[in-house]
Amino acid sequence: MKVKDGSEVVLMLAGCSAWAAVNLFRGFTSASVPLIPLFVLLGLCVNSLLFPILFCCSLVGLISTALIPWVVLVSGLLACTAGRTMKIRVTGFISVAATLWLIPVSLSIPVVILAAALVFISNHRLRYSLLPAGFIVSAIFFGLPNSLITQPAVAGSTIAEGILTYSIPELNTLRPEVLLPAPCDGPWAVWVAIEAGGVRDSIPMLAIRLGEDMLVLPSGTDTLCFTMVPGDTLAITLLRDFRPFNHSVIHATAGGERL
Amino acid sequence: MRDFLRNYLHSILIAGFGAWIFIAWRLAGMPDPGFSGRIIPAAWLLAGILNGRNSHIRWFAPVVFAFTAGAWLWMLHPGGWILTAAVAVAGLITWGISVPKGNSYGLIKAVLPVLLLSILTAEINGDEVRFAEQASTISGISSHRFSERNIRAGDISASEGHHTPMFPLIISPGLLAGDRGIRIIPVILALITVLILAKLTDPRIALVAALLYPGFGIFGLAMTGWMAAGLFALGVLLPEGRKWSVVRLLIALILVALKMRYIGVAAGILVAEYACMPARKRKWIIPMIWISTGALILIVDRYFLNGIIFWIRYGNVEALNLIWANIFHRPLDTVSHAAWSLVDPEAGLFFRAPWVLAAISGLFVFRRKQPAQFKRLFIPSILYWVFLIVWSGSSWHGLPAPAGRMFVPMLPLFAGGLAYVWKEKETRLLIIISIAVSALVVASPACRYNYADGTDSILSLLGVTGGFSMVRSNSIQLLTAVLLSTAMLIVLGKWKKYRLLSLVIIYVSTFLVGIYPDGYEAEDLSPEMVQGARLYPYVSDPVERYFWFNSRERMLELSEPGQSILLPDIQAGDTLSLLISGGGGILAIGGEMITVETPIIELPSVYQSIGRSSRTLPDWPENRLMEEFSMVIEIDQIESRAIRILHHSGPPVYLDRIDISRGSISQ
């Protein structure tokens, strides 16, 4: 989208106005602050090939507050790598830096070091190879920037004619724990069928907790039965952290009958 | 060797990116490595093979870096890996649109990688199963899963569905290749249609029509839309002349036989034919003959043949009652359906296919430059849209099949309009957003479908449970969306010197879509709040709710012990408002009992004569009036800053919405 000189300011202001409207109507959240450097970046890139991706990222950021760290960091790293001018790369770095406080410090270090290095490297071929290299080194030696979700998921449940059915989301390194609360009335016999996999060893992979009891299981298929009363919560937890070339995943189904 | 590298460097880069996607996916441990982590790299590899000596890949580097950064950061959000995959798919769609197309082969090879992804990621849907069952019955070609015919909602009887037999017959040879073969003929038909559209407009425009919504929604699927669009476009391409008029008449008949819904296009083809005829004496006799013949055929079919030829879901001549009611007895509803068909997030045209806005602005130039072709495209398309709304009423969207499929027959018109604004910068902008939508649908196949429950699957993926929807209709929201669309059309069409306004409109629209509604809709209550209660109807298929007269939203049913709703963050003095219905069931709200008995709604008299028998409303949950119940929360009703709502006894109680307004007393 080529525009006349100076028009990029209009784009920045339009984005910042939208940001202000979002905060006015949805309530202010500090997580949305990194959107401002993103809009500045967008204005600077209005005539470049980065514009389509940055533009889509800005739209996603306006729609969803939870996705802001992802879209701003991706946009920032993209600008640092593929930005042709120092102005674009510096603004990209500011976008990255403005978001880093949202992710754990230990994991943000590789990202910020890489972004800073990219700003000052003028050889574009070197810059182009540095981002994949940074990703590979980070994935193998430091791990990946981790989930911002701290709360475990809660399984949905339905009761139809005395039969209880849980719908359990997939568990992976991003969402490692799910809670299955007992219905608020009467004792229930509950079964849980588990399929765990995506790893290349047989050391313990998941834990199932009910009150004081805990069961640790390796990958594979298992079906377990429990008795639950109001107030009980069954927790299924993936014990594996991120490791490259592993896709740890647990698929679970559960149901029960009133006793 | 050096020559080979020089000539095919870009092909090698594209194929190499496919390999990088495969490796990075595993290195990052992203979910779904077995399916998405294979088919997306495979599609890039295919693109690399098909790319030839094309070197128009300036967009390539940003896509590679965005994908790499996305894979690095995917764990920041549950949707992170889907967005990362979508970046890779978006690159592939861009490749398809930008690769030069010298001939038919060039066009088809540009489509193939994305077509592969479309077919592999789209689950076989209910309509396709129905077509396959019919195809198996008609042709006698046995297919393992589809050999038996099952009755479904909307079917006339177990042996008689609501689809005409023509399309199943056409696609039946595909069954020779087994169950999945049901899509072989539709893929060929879709490719032929792309070639026709390219002939009609431009190869790049045809690719936009194929790879972006609304066409992408059913691209390669066993559904009738692409065949209808192809027939329609073919009719426009035919030269003028009496013998070609006969061919066009034949096309109109085939369209009706293909699907009754296309009667609007068929009628439009005839009207356009009449409009393009040279002026002569007693020209008016021709349409009189057409109309009389059509009416005679319908009457003979209905009253002498008992409706065996044009048998349709609600009866034949009787269906005219429905049209009459939609036009004269509820005109405002019909107008609002027409508006929602453009702006509804779940099935509306502009939300998933914003490029159509640019195409519509191009229609004005199209009309000026090629009036005859414009007439042949515009009249059938508009008649189709009007007929769709007036005939189908609130079920115009045809959900839960792939969203947007109802607009596929209008593709030739939009392609015609787009050709005249293709070089405009704003058009590119809208196409970028449309590419992102198609890419998201490939990366997250569940986004292809919606269920007319007020929650769009793409918005849900992004974490938005919007209040803006046709099902949760609000006339102010509708007016806002229509106003924004109109503003966009004006900027695109007339005020090009203020073109940056288009960006502002996009930002405002995006912001509005992302606003969270106040209160809780029953279907949006999180698992943390709801225990055991089911949504009514028990299946998400909106066909179950098509004929509800009250509201078409799903309701939460509280009917058994153990089912409860736990509302967090409650303080004494807050006012709790419930929109509920029931036939005498008792709810316990924080220990206080309330009896819920609401009356059955009265069926408007105009509806009582529609259909083959008179209709009265039975005592079903959807037919009971929703009433608001409010109470101020006392301190002794709260447990751990939450209040629990339980079904105590009696018939089920149905909940539509919960609102909490903060009170003046705070603890």
Side-chain angles (χ1 to χ4, degrees):
Chain A
M1 165 121 188
K2 287 201 187 302
V3 292
K4 287 177 190 169
D5 289 342
S7 297
E8 59 264 39
V9 178
V10 177
L11 179 56
M12 291 177 199
L13 290 177
C16 291
S17 306
W19 174 84
V22 164
N23 281 292
L24 264 175
F25 282 82
R26 284 197 225 146
F28 176 74
T29 161
S30 52
S32 72
V33 173
L35 276 180
I36 295 176
L38 176 59
F39 286 119
V40 176
L41 185 61
L42 195 64
L44 294 176
C45 294
V46 74
N47 291 328
S48 91
L49 286 166
L50 305 184
F51 183 79
I53 293 176
L54 298 184
F55 179 63
C56 290
C57 282
S58 72
L59 294 184
V60 172
L62 277 179
I63 289 180
S64 168
T65 311
L67 271 162
I68 288 173
W70 189 90
V71 295
V72 177
L73 281 172
V74 168
S75 306
L77 283 174
L78 176 61
C80 289
T81 310
R84 297 211 164 183
T85 62
M86 179 66 108
K87 202 162 51 173
I88 291 176
R89 295 205 295 276
V90 168
T91 315
F93 174 76
I94 293 170
S95 304
V96 172
T99 319
L100 283 179
W101 58 274
L102 291 171
I103 59 178
V105 176
S106 61
L107 294 165
S108 65
I109 287 171
V111 177
V112 77
I113 290 174
L114 182 78
L118 288 168
V119 172
F120 296 106
I121 296 171
S122 54
N123 183 330
H124 71 275
R125 284 190 183 152
L126 184 59
R127 273 205 322 271
Y128 285 4
S129 52
L130 213 56
L131 180 65
F135 163 52
I136 293 167
V137 170
S138 172
I140 294 174
F141 297 107
F142 298 92
L144 298 187
N146 215 336
S147 169
L148 303 175
I149 301 167
T150 50
Q151 299 287 329
V154 177
S157 62
T158 56
I159 299 170
E161 293 166 6
I163 304 291
L164 169 70
T165 310
Y166 285 104
S167 64
I168 303 173
E170 175 188 294
L171 297 186
N172 53 32
T173 43
L174 178 69
R175 187 196 282 126
E177 189 171 38
V178 65
L179 305 178
L180 282 66
C184 62
D185 181 80
W188 292 77
V190 173
W191 57 265
V192 184
I194 288 175
E195 289 178 0
V199 292
R200 295 160 196 274
D201 53 48
S202 57
I203 56 177
M205 187 173 171
L206 69 137
I208 299 182
R209 278 180 291 119
L210 179 61
E212 299 294 312
D213 301 324
M214 185 160 92
L215 202 61
V216 178
L217 298 169
S219 61
T221 307
D222 290 282
T223 303
L224 308 158
C225 291
F226 304 89
T227 304
M228 291 172 77
V229 293
D232 279 353
T233 299
L234 185 77
I236 305 172
T237 311
L238 174 70
L239 300 175
R240 299 299 184 90
D241 287 331
F242 165 78
R243 279 178 67 189
F245 300 107
N246 276 265
H247 305 268
S248 324
V249 66
I250 298 172
H251 291 135
T253 49
E257 274 187 53
R258 184 185 292 278
L259 289 173
Chain B
M1 185 66 185
R2 192 176 293 170
D3 281 351
F4 176 83
L5 278 178
R6 194 168 53 233
N7 289 333
Y8 293 98
L9 176 67
H10 295 95
S11 298
I12 294 166
L13 283 175
I14 289 172
F17 181 47
W20 171 240
I21 295 172
F22 185 84
I23 294 164
W25 202 293
R26 278 140 191 86
L27 190 63
M30 291 206 296
D32 201 16
F35 183 66
S36 300
R38 284 181 186 162
I39 60 163
I40 296 174
W44 271 97
L45 199 62
L46 181 62
I49 294 166
L50 297 171
N51 186 62
R53 297 181 183 191
N54 165 43
S55 59
H56 295 84
I57 56 166
R58 288 170 63 233
W59 45 268
F60 182 67
V63 169
V64 173
F65 299 131
F67 171 80
T68 307
W72 191 351
L73 302 161
W74 76 268
M75 284 211 291
L76 291 180
H77 187 273
W81 74 272
I82 292 172
L83 293 183
T84 305
V87 170
V89 179
L92 206 57
I93 296 172
T94 312
W95 172 83
I97 294 172
S98 63
V99 68
K101 285 79 49 179
N103 50 28
S104 302
Y105 168 68
L107 195 65
I108 288 171
K109 77 177 183 185
V111 166
L112 279 181
V114 185
L115 177 62
L116 171 88
L117 289 178
S118 175
I119 294 171
L120 289 178
T121 54
E123 284 287 322
I124 290 191
N125 63 62
D127 270 354
E128 290 183 291
V129 171
R130 191 52 157 163
F131 282 135
E133 288 173 356
Q134 272 181 291
S136 187
T137 312
I138 294 167
S139 65
I141 302 169
S142 174
S143 78
H144 178 64
R145 273 190 295 168
F146 308 134
S147 298
E148 276 185 26
R149 231 163 131 158
N150 302 299
I151 190 162
R152 290 188 179 77
D155 284 349
I156 294 158
S157 67
S159 60
E160 209 160 7
H162 63 273
H163 296 305
T164 51
M166 186 176 173
F167 190 67
L169 188 66
I170 291 170
I171 63 174
S172 58
L175 287 177
L176 289 168
D179 293 351
R180 283 267 167 186
I182 193 67
R183 286 182 178 165
I184 291 175
I185 305 291
V187 163
I188 295 167
L189 290 172
L191 289 176
I192 292 170
T193 303
V194 173
L195 294 178
I196 295 171
L197 285 177
K199 197 93 178 158
L200 189 69
T201 55
D202 174 76
R204 273 180 305 189
I205 307 288
L207 283 167
V208 165
L211 303 182
L212 306 183
Y213 268 86
F216 180 77
I218 56 167
F219 192 48
L221 273 58
M223 305 188 88
T224 56
W226 273 93
M227 186 179 168
L231 284 168
F232 172 31
L234 182 68
V236 178
L237 271 182
L238 295 175
E240 299 293 328
R242 200 166 286 180
K243 67 177 177 185
W244 296 112
S245 297
V246 176
V247 178
R248 272 190 272 267
L249 181 65
L250 200 64
I251 286 174
L253 287 173
I254 294 171
L255 280 168
V256 182
L258 188 63
K259 193 96 182 164
M260 267 303 192
R261 191 174 68 232
Y262 303 137
I263 198 166
V265 188
I269 288 172
L270 298 183
V271 173
E273 187 66 30
Y274 177 75
C276 291
M277 277 178 182
R280 59 168 170 249
K281 259 189 178 180
R282 293 184 184 162
K283 190 182 166 188
W284 57 270
I285 291 178
I286 297 166
M288 290 307 295
I289 293 170
W290 288 345
I291 292 167
S292 311
T293 311
L296 192 67
I297 291 171
L298 279 178
I299 289 165
V300 169
D301 173 51
R302 174 66 187 95
Y303 293 106
F304 295 95
L305 302 175
N306 205 24
I308 59 168
I309 301 174
F310 292 102
W311 183 268
I312 49 175
R313 206 184 299 188
Y314 319 113
N316 302 334
V317 178
E318 289 83 351
L320 296 176
N321 279 336
L322 191 66
I323 293 173
W324 183 270
N326 280 336
I327 295 175
F328 296 105
H329 292 271
R330 43 178 204 161
L332 280 179
D333 286 345
T334 305
V335 169
S336 93
H337 293 146
W340 279 116
S341 74
L342 301 177
V343 297
D344 178 52
E346 285 192 89
L349 185 58
F350 298 153
F351 182 74
R352 289 202 175 208
W355 68 270
V356 170
L357 278 163
I360 291 173
S361 76
L363 289 179
F364 299 100
V365 190
F366 184 23
R367 180 169 160 247
R368 213 168 47 241
K369 298 222 167 150
Q370 285 184 285
Q373 198 177 65
F374 175 80
K375 265 185 215 166
R376 289 199 181 279
L377 283 170
F378 183 75
I379 297 171
S381 299
I382 283 297
L383 277 182
Y384 169 74
W385 180 56
V386 170
F387 187 78
L388 177 71
I389 303 296
V390 170
W391 171 273
S392 311
S394 58
S395 59
W396 60 266
H397 46 73
L399 298 177
R405 73 190 166 104
M406 291 299 193
F407 297 102
V408 177
M410 298 173 80
L411 270 182
L413 175 73
F414 299 143
L418 187 68
Y420 289 94
V421 287
W422 174 252
K423 289 183 178 161
E424 302 289 336
K425 305 297 182 289
E426 295 74 23
T427 305
R428 301 286 169 92
L429 202 64
L430 294 168
I431 287 177
I432 287 167
I433 303 173
S434 309
I435 289 175
V437 172
S438 289
L440 273 174
V441 169
V442 172
S444 173
C447 290
R448 197 180 285 261
Y449 301 95
N450 274 321
Y451 297 92
D453 58 1
T455 312
D456 175 62
S457 48
I458 291 180
L459 288 176
S460 299
L461 172 75
L462 300 177
V464 176
T465 49
F468 174 65
S469 147
M470 159 191 68
V471 179
R472 301 170 184 181
S473 61
N474 177 331
S475 48
I476 296 297
Q477 289 176 336
L478 178 60
L479 282 175
T480 309
V482 170
L483 192 70
L484 283 169
S485 307
T486 312
M488 189 62 148
L489 281 173
I490 291 171
V491 170
L492 291 174
K494 298 246 176 197
W495 286 355
K496 283 184 184 157
K497 60 180 175 178
Y498 304 117
R499 59 171 43 142
L500 276 172
L501 275 175
S502 60
L503 271 166
V504 177
I505 294 168
I506 292 171
Y507 276 140
V508 171
S509 312
T510 311
F511 149 67
L512 288 175
V513 161
I515 289 184
Y516 307 124
D518 294 331
Y520 304 102
E521 290 289 347
E523 340 44 328
D524 296 342
L525 287 170
S526 67
E528 287 91 338
M529 294 186 197
V530 180
Q531 282 189 326
R534 289 191 293 174
L535 284 172
Y536 177 88
Y538 308 128
V539 290
S540 52
D541 190 341
V543 174
E544 298 283 325
R545 291 171 275 133
Y546 269 2
F547 307 107
W548 288 15
F549 292 89
N550 208 1
S551 152
R552 290 188 181 84
E553 292 181 62
R554 293 178 79 187
M555 304 175 282
L556 202 63
E557 181 186 84
L558 289 164
S559 59
E560 288 188 42
Q563 295 178 336
S564 71
I565 299 169
L566 192 68
L567 296 174
D569 256 348
I570 298 285
Q571 297 173 348
D574 288 352
T575 303
L576 175 71
S577 301
L578 305 173
L579 198 57
I580 43 182
S581 71
I586 298 174
L587 280 188
I589 304 176
E592 185 177 325
M593 306 294 167
I594 61 158
T595 304
V596 182
E597 180 142 29
T598 58
I600 293 179
I601 57 171
E602 279 181 29
L603 181 69
S605 58
V606 64
Y607 291 109
Q608 287 178 8
S609 60
I610 294 173
R612 292 189 176 162
S613 56
S614 65
R615 300 170 65 183
T616 51
L617 291 179
D619 184 6
W620 291 341
E622 61 268 29
N623 293 334
R624 286 209 175 255
L625 196 66
M626 281 282 166
E627 287 184 352
E628 188 166 312
F629 169 82
S630 297
M631 67 183 286
V632 178
I633 307 292
E634 306 289 340
I635 191 157
D636 56 344
Q637 293 177 311
I638 301 172
E639 42 174 305
S640 310
R641 290 177 58 85
I643 189 164
R644 195 179 282 278
I645 303 171
L646 291 165
H647 180 260
H648 182 264
S649 58
V653 174
Y654 295 88
L655 180 84
D656 184 28
R657 195 181 154 78
I658 300 174
D659 282 294
I660 299 159
S661 42
R662 296 291 167 208
S664 52
I665 312 163
S666 61
Q667 298 298 309

